[in-house]
């Protein structure tokens, strides 16, 4: 496929994604059966597909964690799941819903993460988002937040929207983070086809207070429930590395004229700003231990810096995420506090 045609297809695909979010808000995007979009990754009997074929349980016990993976690679798209997390004592447990191409690009992989960090009894789950581009794992772009609800009480929707210029993370259709591609980021912005993963695993070495609290298998099995699985994007041929399918892509550029230039509406932006003021407890932009100079895309706010300083995040050690035969080292900072919504 000629480069100009590829670029045009990707432009159509990115424009389609903004329309897709509007459709998703009204729950019009198709929820696909597990077998049509995914396959087991690891864990054997620790992965259980419900009779309806559209819900799946992932469990962690002393023997193993578990996970699943999308059949297709995608270059941009709308990826969503309703997730209910394990309850009670969950220290050291990590549930992840993320995109990666580490199996194909081991030295220069891309990644877009939702990671849910378990906690000791009486403390809330924390949610972490992260973005890696072109293998820049030394420049992790982690942010960490509390939530305005208990994610173990019921299902909540977690969504990644990825285009050639933006990455937006949503919780229950509330945007919590927007990453806009800048020229200075260069290849640090994810730009290669990725696969979607969901996993539960033992991250005792780092997940809870820097590894102070480990997984206690007295409370196993730890079960994470997934439903309402949405895969809506531009599927890529893994061999030819060209776009093989772009779901509902406009057929001409005229169809894109009514698409807004941003995936976040003014009303949603207000919600996002309120969420971040009340619930964000860590941002890589303010981590002076890791970055003597903030990464180029960071916009430093003295008010935000002062608020985050109260949480006194500490850098936690390395852990391992299971990707079948591959393991990825995870870095970041840890905090215990979370503000109420």
């Amino acid at each position: 496929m000629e480069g100009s045609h590829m670029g045009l297809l990707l432009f159509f695909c990115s424009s389609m994604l903004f329309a897709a979010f509007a459709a998703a808000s009204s729950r019009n995007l198709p929820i696909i059966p597990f077998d049509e979009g995914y396959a087991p990754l690891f864990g054997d009997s620790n992965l259980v597909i419900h009779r309806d074929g559209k819900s799946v349980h992932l469990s962690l016990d002393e023997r193993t964690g578990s996970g699943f993976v999308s059949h297709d690679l995608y270059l941009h798209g709308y990826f969503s799941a309703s997730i209910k997390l394990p309850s009670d004592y969950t220290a050291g447990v990590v549930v992840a819903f993320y995109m990666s191409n580490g199996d194909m690009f081991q030295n220069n992989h891309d990644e877009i993460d939702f990671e849910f960090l378990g906690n000791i009894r009486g403390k809330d789950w924390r949610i972490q988002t992260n973005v890696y581009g072109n293998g820049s794992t030394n420049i992790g772009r982690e942010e960490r937040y509390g939530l305005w609800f208990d994610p173990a009480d019921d299902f909540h929707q977690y969504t990644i929207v990825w285009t050639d210029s933006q990455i937006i993370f949503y919780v229950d259709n509330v945007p919590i983070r927007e990453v806009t591609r800048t020229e200075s980021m260069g290849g640090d912005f994810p730009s290669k086809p990725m696969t979607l993963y969901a996993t539960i695993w033992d991250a005792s070495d780092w997940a809870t207070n820097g590894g102070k609290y480990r997984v206690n298998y007295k409370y196993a099995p730890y079960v994470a429930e997934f439903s309402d699985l949405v895969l809506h994007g531009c599927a890529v041929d893994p061999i030819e590395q060209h776009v093989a399918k772009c779901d509902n892509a406009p057929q001409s550029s005229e169809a894109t004229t009514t698409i807004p230039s941003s995936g976040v509406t003014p009303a949603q932006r207000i919600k996002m700003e309120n969420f971040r003021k009340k619930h964000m407890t860590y941002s890589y932009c303010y981590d002076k231990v890791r970055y003597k100079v903030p990464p180029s895309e960071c916009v430093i706010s003295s008010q935000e810096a002062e608020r985050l300083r109260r949480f006194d995040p500490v850098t936690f050690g390395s852990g391992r995420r299971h990707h079948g035969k591959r393991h990825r080292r995870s870095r970041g900072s840890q905090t215990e506090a979370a503000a109420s919504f």
Side-chain angles (χ1 to χ4, degrees):
M1 180 179 293
E2 295 181 2
S4 59
H5 291 167
M6 171 66 84
L8 194 58
L9 271 177
L10 296 183
F11 171 75
F12 288 160
C13 186
S14 297
S15 299
M16 171 273 296
L17 296 174
F18 295 127
F21 176 71
S25 298
S26 58
R27 299 186 180 275
N28 288 332
L29 287 180
I31 296 170
I32 64 172
F34 180 86
D35 289 342
E36 288 186 14
Y38 306 89
L41 178 64
F42 71 102
D44 301 324
S45 60
N46 280 15
L47 184 153
V48 178
I49 303 171
H50 284 207
R51 290 182 179 179
D52 64 4
K54 295 182 179 180
S55 303
V56 61
H57 283 184
L58 298 180
S59 62
L60 166 69
D61 57 27
E62 289 180 293
R63 182 177 59 90
T64 183
S66 53
F68 61 85
V69 59
S70 64
H71 290 312
D72 291 329
L73 285 161
Y74 293 91
L75 183 60
H76 310 143
Y78 180 104
F79 310 96
S80 184
S82 290
I83 305 172
K84 183 179 179 182
L85 298 176
S87 59
D88 206 356
Y89 184 98
T90 56
V93 177
V94 169
V95 175
F97 180 70
Y98 65 104
M99 305 196 71
S100 177
N101 50 32
D103 289 331
M104 297 182 64
F105 303 98
Q106 295 188 10
N107 296 320
N108 62 333
H109 85 285
D110 304 308
E111 195 162 320
I112 303 172
D113 297 340
F114 265 119
E115 291 181 308
F116 305 92
L117 310 180
N119 219 326
I120 60 176
R121 184 183 286 113
K123 297 288 187 178
D124 297 329
W125 279 86
R126 289 137 307 149
I127 184 173
Q128 177 169 284
T129 62
N130 200 359
V131 174
Y132 290 132
N134 205 31
S136 58
T137 52
N138 61 318
I139 309 178
R141 290 172 164 82
E142 298 96 335
E143 287 187 352
R144 194 166 300 116
Y145 330 86
L147 292 167
W148 65 94
F149 54 82
D150 182 348
D153 274 351
D154 204 349
F155 286 90
H156 293 270
Q157 184 184 34
Y158 305 91
T159 302
I160 295 169
V161 174
W162 172 39
T163 77
D164 62 350
S165 60
Q166 283 181 312
I167 297 166
I168 308 171
F169 296 89
Y170 294 89
V171 176
D172 288 340
N173 289 331
V174 175
I176 65 169
R177 182 180 184 184
E178 179 183 34
V179 179
T180 300
R181 184 176 196 163
T182 64
E183 185 176 351
S184 62
M185 290 177 72
D188 288 353
F189 188 91
S191 58
K192 298 185 292 295
M194 289 191 279
T195 307
L196 185 72
Y197 295 86
T199 58
I200 184 170
W201 54 290
D202 183 331
S204 291
D205 290 343
W206 64 267
T208 309
N209 199 21
K212 179 179 179 180
Y213 301 103
R214 305 179 67 83
V215 174
N216 186 339
Y217 285 102
K218 180 179 92 171
Y219 300 98
Y222 297 96
V223 180
E225 303 175 52
F226 290 76
S227 66
D228 299 340
L229 301 170
V230 176
L231 282 171
H232 191 83
C234 298
V236 173
D237 186 305
I239 299 176
E240 299 294 335
Q241 288 291 296
H242 67 259
V243 175
K245 180 181 68 175
C246 199
D247 291 345
N248 296 335
Q251 297 302 308
S252 72
S253 59
E254 294 178 359
T256 69
T257 56
T258 59
I259 303 299
S261 59
S262 173
V264 178
T265 67
Q268 288 174 332
R269 191 166 297 281
I270 291 173
K271 290 183 178 181
M272 180 168 65
E273 291 173 355
N274 287 338
F275 170 86
R276 295 173 68 80
K277 287 177 181 178
K278 294 180 179 180
H279 293 288
M280 188 166 71
T281 57
Y282 171 82
S283 169
Y284 72 103
C285 286
Y286 298 94
D287 193 330
K288 294 184 178 180
V289 174
R290 297 171 64 201
Y291 304 112
K292 302 304 180 185
V293 177
S296 59
E297 74 275 6
C298 290
V299 177
I300 302 300
S301 161
S302 58
Q303 289 183 333
E304 189 170 64
E306 182 59 32
R307 186 181 64 79
L308 293 178
R309 189 175 292 117
R310 294 187 292 109
F311 295 101
D312 191 26
V314 296
T315 300
F316 57 77
S318 298
R320 294 187 300 173
R321 169 186 296 159
H322 296 281
H323 288 183
K325 295 181 180 179
R326 182 176 66 87
H327 305 291
R328 181 182 68 81
R329 298 184 68 81
S330 300
R331 290 182 177 272
S333 297
Q334 188 66 32
T335 181
E336 285 294 318
S340 61
F341 189 51

